[in-house]
Structure formats: C-alpha cells, structure tokens
Amino acid sequence: MNIPYPVKIRAVWWDEPSRRTCWVNTLKLPHSEEVECSNDPVRIAKAIIDLEIRGAPAIGVAAALAVASYALTLTGRPREEFYSKALEAVSTLWSTRPTAHNLFHALSRVREKLLASMNAGAAPLEAAEAVTAEALRIMEEDIYSNHLIGEHGSQLVPDNASILTHCNAGALATSALGTAEAVMRIAWYKGKKIRVYATETRPVLQGARLTVWELMKEGIPVTLITDNTAGFLIRKGMIDLVIVGADRITREGYVVNKIGTYMIALAAKRNNIPFYVAAPTSTIDLNSRIEDVVIEERNPAEVKHVMGKLITLEEAPALNYAFDITDPDLVTAIITEKGIVKPPYPENLKKIAESKPR
C-alpha cells in the first residue's frame, strides 16, 4: 500500500514484540498522553465501553486486535478450549457498544477466520496466527482507507474554506489520519488554506479535548466553539462546509453519528451549505434499516458531570443518548475510500460498498 502522508498520531496499534494491542487512553487527553497495552479481551472491552478507545473505525480495529492478542496467549491450551475461549472473547467485545457498525464488521471477519480454522482442523497456533493476520489486515485497510478518504474529500474543500466539524473523526478515532479530519489534513497538506471550527461536543467533550488537540498539533488553524454556537455561525455565513464522521450509515443513507449532528445538518440545509459525511465503507450497513439500529444510551452521570465535577443536582434525572440520526436528504455527499457517493443513496451506497477501492 502506497501511503504518501505520515501518520503522526496513533490511536490504536499492534505491538509486535509483545504481541499485544496498544492504544492511547483518550480519556486522559489533552493533558496527558498515556499509552495502555493489553492482551486481555475483558480489559480492552472495558476500554471501549469507557471511551478510552473511541470512534467507530478505532473500535473495530481494537476489537479485532484484541481477539488476536488474546488468541496468541491460548496456543498452549487444548484445541477445544482454545476455540471456546477465543470465540468467547469475540462475544465479550461484540457486546461493548451497540451502534458502531465497524465493530461488528471487524469482529465478524476475525470470527469467520476462527470458525474456518476450527472447521479445517487447525491447531491453536495456526488458528491464532490466521486470526492475527486478519486483524492486522483490518488495521492496514483502515490506515489505507483514511488516506483515500482524505484524497477524495480534499477535492471538495475550496481554498480559504472555513470548515465546521462535530465530535472527533480524526486520528484518535481511527488507525491513521481520521475520516473527516483526513479530509482536512490532506487539503492542508496540499497547500489549501483552511480554518476549522470544532464544537466542544458534550457531554464528554471529544471536540474540545481531542479534535482541537489534533489540529493544533498539525498546525491547522482551529477555533473551539460551544455546541450551541454552530447554528449561529452557519447563519452568519462564517461556515463554508460541514464535514463530520459516522458510526453507521444505513442502506437508505441515514447517518448515525455523535449526538448533535442532526441539528447541525438542519442548519446547513436551511442555509444552503454543503454537509459532508466522511466514513469508510465498513461503516455502511447494507443489512439494516434505520428502524433496526440501536441508539446507545449511556450513563446519565456523563451529562451531570464535566471532567469529574458535578454541574447539577445529584438527584436530577438526565438523558444521555450517544448518537442521533441525520436524514439522507440533509446529506450532500458521503466521502468513502472508494469515492464520493451522492444521492440516490439506496442505489449508490450499495454500488460503492460492493466495488473495489480506487
């Protein structure tokens, strides 16, 4: 794979000497860059649930690597026990977060490798190596996908553009450059002068803590805004285009992304500015209707606290939906590693998902 741009920030990766899964604990950013490594699927599942590892592509990669690193610890076990425990690890990771489609896409692939090895009568070491090769392939595909998304999407970014983004769809959500932020990065690398407005992204502040940190490290001009400022900036004509990521895109073209995305899409539509979604084809779910998608509801304590500090009454009820749904008619185009998808989405998403990268 020809990767023309450097990967400066890694969210999740494979440590070959120890054969463990490693990640940057994003809960500690931007104040501390702490690396964790493990081959325990329960520990890695907890990291995904607690948002140490977050962002749909990164979750998928981490889960696949977790199964691989755990399988390698089991190679001395009897064959039946090896397969039982490895498949149990898949189930543990499968149940971590219900909305991100990349998680299930990646785990399905490593599970298929396990089952194929089991049916072929493979010994534990042979099966573990096959699973590891598949997990590393998933990670490499994500890295390559990030670059291609950035290349395709950068064509849509005018010079001197002001871009609005929501949450973090950057390197910290993937294995390399990000999705929405890959578009910004590569536009910047190509010499385009851009400015980014990043929402803080309540309740756990991924925009303030992660997106701003990433873009400032790149030297890309970025301004932090509160979530409820986005519509006003759009109305004032201060935004030229919106680029966000996605946790799942249904076959009809509904985009499931961080809560607050829908409101931004409505404001963009009302003011006639492009609203782009950047995501790999592994985020496209051709099998589910929007009615089938489970929208994760997280602990209300995340809403009632900011950086560990209680901001309301302890007994106050709170709702904490992690994602919302943006309708297809609000989406100008979807930027994938295989090209840019425009309406009609039911027809064109199927075509792009089943095609080869270009």
Side-chain angles (χ1 to χ4, degrees):
M1 296 178 181
N2 179 27
I3 305 299
Y5 301 107
V7 178
K8 300 176 184 177
I9 299 168
R10 298 298 299 271
V12 59
W13 65 94
W14 179 255
D15 180 62
E16 182 56 35
S18 67
R19 309 204 85 179
R20 292 189 300 169
T21 304
C22 295
W23 65 96
V24 171
N25 184 345
T26 64
L27 290 176
K28 303 293 185 179
L29 290 170
H31 305 299
S32 175
E33 298 179 35
E34 295 186 13
V35 172
E36 306 279 352
C37 294
S38 179
N39 52 23
D40 178 0
V42 174
R43 170 67 182 96
I44 297 169
K46 184 178 186 301
I48 292 171
I49 292 167
D50 292 349
L51 304 182
E52 291 179 36
I53 305 168
R54 37 75 51 205
I59 289 169
V61 169
L65 294 177
V67 175
S69 55
Y70 180 57
L72 289 166
T73 71
L74 301 172
T75 55
R77 306 288 182 94
R79 187 174 174 278
E80 186 176 324
E81 184 183 353
F82 167 84
Y83 284 107
S84 173
K85 286 187 171 295
L87 289 168
E88 183 182 337
V90 172
S91 297
T92 297
L93 291 151
W94 191 280
S95 63
T96 50
R97 299 196 68 188
T99 307
H101 187 252
N102 306 66
L103 173 69
F104 309 111
H105 175 85
L107 286 174
S108 293
R109 285 176 57 175
V110 294
R111 182 174 61 187
E112 284 171 14
K113 281 292 177 186
L114 275 170
L115 293 174
S117 296
M118 183 171 65
N119 293 335
L125 179 58
E126 182 184 353
E129 293 290 358
V131 168
T132 301
E134 184 68 8
L136 292 174
R137 194 174 299 116
I138 290 167
M139 182 180 69
E140 290 301 320
E141 287 171 6
D142 186 53
I143 293 170
Y144 192 46
S145 170
N146 287 184
H147 284 80
L148 290 176
I149 287 169
E151 288 285 359
H152 293 307
S154 65
Q155 302 168 34
L156 300 173
V157 179
D159 196 15
N160 296 308
S162 290
I163 303 168
L164 174 67
T165 194
H166 183 57
C167 195
N168 174 265
L172 294 168
T174 66
S175 303
L177 300 181
T179 53
E181 282 182 38
V183 175
M184 302 170 204
R185 279 185 162 94
I186 292 184
W188 180 257
Y189 297 160
K190 288 178 180 292
K192 292 184 178 179
K193 294 180 176 63
I194 61 171
R195 168 169 291 282
V196 179
Y197 290 90
T199 59
E200 60 183 346
T201 322
R202 283 278 291 139
V204 294
L205 305 173
Q206 294 99 322
R209 295 187 303 105
L210 308 180
T211 299
V212 170
W213 178 78
E214 280 194 40
L215 294 178
M216 288 187 73
K217 281 179 82 78
E218 285 279 14
I220 298 173
V222 58
T223 300
L224 176 65
I225 62 171
T226 61
D227 293 355
N228 46 16
T229 300
F232 183 57
L233 293 192
I234 290 170
R235 192 177 190 279
K236 278 173 65 69
M238 292 175 63
I239 304 298
D240 297 303
L241 67 158
V242 178
I243 314 174
V244 298
D247 284 77
R248 188 182 298 232
I249 299 169
T250 71
R251 65 194 186 201
E252 311 103 322
Y254 288 93
V255 173
V256 182
N257 193 48
K258 179 56 59 183
I259 193 78
T261 302
Y262 176 55
M263 294 187 294
I264 293 172
L266 286 171
K269 183 76 169 182
R270 178 69 175 82
N271 290 273
N272 299 309
I273 68 166
F275 181 92
Y276 297 120
V277 175
T281 52
S282 56
T283 302
I284 300 170
D285 179 2
L286 294 178
N287 299 315
S288 301
R289 301 169 305 155
I290 192 59
E291 295 84 359
D292 303 325
V293 177
V294 177
I295 300 296
E296 179 182 2
E297 188 171 355
R298 294 181 60 81
N299 190 333
E302 290 180 348
V303 174
K304 299 198 297 183
H305 293 77
V306 174
M307 305 300 287
K309 182 176 177 61
L310 184 68
I311 60 168
T312 186
L313 298 176
E314 185 65 69
E315 64 272 21
L319 272 176
N320 188 15
Y321 289 106
F323 306 99
D324 61 20
I325 299 164
T326 297
D327 302 88
D329 65 297
L330 301 177
V331 179
T332 307
I334 297 170
I335 306 161
T336 79
E337 79 278 16
K338 298 178 182 180
I340 297 168
V341 188
K342 295 184 178 178
Y345 291 120
E347 175 186 342
N348 292 336
L349 283 171
K350 186 172 188 300
K351 276 184 190 174
I352 204 93
E354 294 173 352
S355 67
K356 292 184 178 179
R358 55 187 175 83

